[in-house]
Amino acid sequence: MSAPEVTAAVDGIGDAEAMLRRLARRPEVRGVLLASADGRALASELADREPAAAAAVVASTLALGARLGELGGDGAVRELLVRSEAGYVVLHAITDDVVVAVVATAAVNLARLRLELRDETKALTATKALTATKAPTATNTPTTQQTQHRRNPC
């Protein structure tokens, strides 16, 4: 497993990295990724995947999951599960801005993994240990012509 990749825009990343390491030590877990909802890799224990690319896929899947969640009623999506022939990918929202993705083999005790994820993430959120700062976005500044039009609408 590779060393965690960390973005400086995250507070409490040390606690989250420790969580990733604990999860990654399980024999049936093939990798763990901490990503922001906007697609940035915050920390990674993925041996055979590029963290930045995986974070982008996680973010887009989470966005699609939120749309699917609207079908089920009110409330934010907290967890998504993908089952393949080789195993599972579990996406678990830690906060509205941060998600953990766990890649596991088919031999994983899924109920135990989901309980462990829930307990680990509750511990992080209970202490407010993890907050992500969103990536800066471009601001829409009015052009000179728009500003003049606002001052003199005639």
Side-chain angles (χ1 to χ4, degrees):
M1 304 251 164
S2 61
E5 177 181 305
V6 179
T7 298
V10 177
D11 296 324
I13 194 70
D15 294 331
E17 287 175 327
M19 176 190 72
L20 293 186
R21 284 190 297 275
R22 283 190 298 274
L23 290 168
R25 273 187 253 151
R26 295 184 59 178
E28 65 277 0
V29 171
R30 296 188 347 217
V32 187
L33 171 73
L34 189 70
S36 66
D38 63 358
R40 292 177 293 137
L42 304 175
S44 174
E45 288 286 331
L46 293 172
D48 57 347
R49 298 281 186 258
E50 176 60 38
V57 170
V58 165
S60 62
T61 303
L62 194 60
L64 287 172
R67 296 297 305 264
L68 283 171
E70 291 172 2
L71 296 173
D74 296 332
V77 171
R78 303 316 303 163
E79 186 177 79
L80 293 169
L81 173 68
V82 176
R83 180 179 165 211
S84 70
E85 290 178 358
Y88 300 92
V89 177
V90 180
L91 303 182
H92 190 90
I94 298 175
T95 67
D96 290 340
D97 299 323
V98 180
V99 63
V100 62
V102 180
V103 181
T105 67
V108 71
N109 180 332
L110 196 55
R112 183 175 173 195
L113 176 64
R114 291 175 67 209
L115 282 172
E116 189 174 339
L117 274 171
R118 187 192 68 199
D119 292 345
E120 290 275 4
T121 58
K122 271 186 183 178
L124 284 175
T125 57
T127 60
K128 308 266 191 250
L130 187 65
T131 57
T133 305
K134 293 191 183 237
T137 58
T139 56
N140 294 329
T141 55
T143 63
T144 305
Q145 187 176 19
Q146 289 170 328
T147 305
Q148 289 172 348
H149 178 68
R150 285 185 194 146
R151 289 184 192 150
N152 185 7
C154 298

